[in-house]
Amino acid sequence: MVDFDDQVVLITGAGRGLGFAYARNIGQLGATVLIQDIGANTDGNGEAPQIAERAAARLRAQGLDVRAIPGNIGSREGCHELVGRALGVGGRLDAVIHNAGWVGYETIEAITQTSFDHMMAVAARAPLWLAQAAWPAMKAAGYGRIVLTTSCRALYPQYVHRGLAAYAAAKMAAVGIANVLAAEGEQHGIVVNAVSPVAKTRMWGIEGEPDELRPGEVAPGVAYLASRECADGGWILRAANGQFHATRAVEAEGVDYPRDLRAVRAATADEVAARWPRIAVADVEPRS
């Protein structure tokens, strides 16, 4: 059975929406849950620390061990300070779930370095710095679970939206980070995965409980990734509407990378053009 008895779990952006659903589900499974949320608006700006406090109070009223801890994850220093506070609660940190983020629409002509850096700071750099800060304690314990957040809006060309180049860049960066940390953590009992969730929250302009794509229907998958039962890293768990599908890039059999890709040979651009239908073959994954 999946349980978090005697475990401490830190969840960023857990004051509302998906993060709140994760906190409730994991709290119900026995964890001490630490909620971080600066209370930013839907553009990722501003602060409202009472958001995290209210969320924690709501869950405590349900009999759960949930606490709000302050912290701004927009910098390496802030991430390390947050993890330090989390470790100070119970002297341990069993899982970190990086959920904080937002969807920022800017066409390619409108993106500024400031807005791009802000997106990357929270959605790509923060999970790296949080993992770095938690790593020594998890390594010493021989155990840890880290869950990053990506998006199918970046992973699959058919789901992209115009205006989400910066968002997609950050979400793809999270996949690369998860892949490398999964390899680095394997020998230390640290399992790292990513989740690609879909839920109707305030990012959709939805207030209250939606009629479909509910945050609570994503939470069980994230709870599993953060639990002892999950022992396999490097996966992306797609989660929406109470359904789950794990995916990751897998190399073809017999490839000796990078010398022999077991692929189509071409010596000129004209040959690449002529053989493109064989080079770029879109195989649709069978799904039962």
Side-chain angles (χ1 to χ4, degrees), residues 162-258:
R162 293 176 178 84
L164 290 184
Y167 176 82
K171 295 304 182 182
M172 287 301 286
V175 173
I177 292 168
N179 286 340
V180 175
L181 295 189
E184 289 192 19
E186 188 173 7
Q187 64 181 315
H188 305 299
I190 303 171
V191 178
V192 183
N193 288 291
V195 62
S196 176
V198 181
K200 287 186 176 181
T201 65
R202 67 193 182 106
M203 297 298 175
W204 286 60
I206 301 295
E207 297 294 338
E209 186 70 9
D211 58 353
E212 62 164 354
L213 297 172
R214 299 177 183 88
E217 294 174 328
V218 171
V222 175
Y224 169 75
L225 293 181
S227 75
R228 301 180 186 93
E229 298 301 315
C230 180
D232 197 8
W235 287 94
I236 301 166
L237 181 64
R238 302 176 66 202
N241 238 19
Q243 300 177 49
F244 303 93
H245 169 247
T247 186
R248 62 181 172 189
V250 179
E251 183 61 278
E253 291 184 6
V255 169
D256 179 19
Y257 178 81

Side-chain angles (χ1 to χ4, degrees), residues 118-138:
H118 189 34
M119 177 65 72
M120 293 296 290
V122 174
R125 292 197 289 268
L128 182 67
W129 300 139
L130 289 167
Q132 183 185 66
W135 209 262
M138 290 182 172

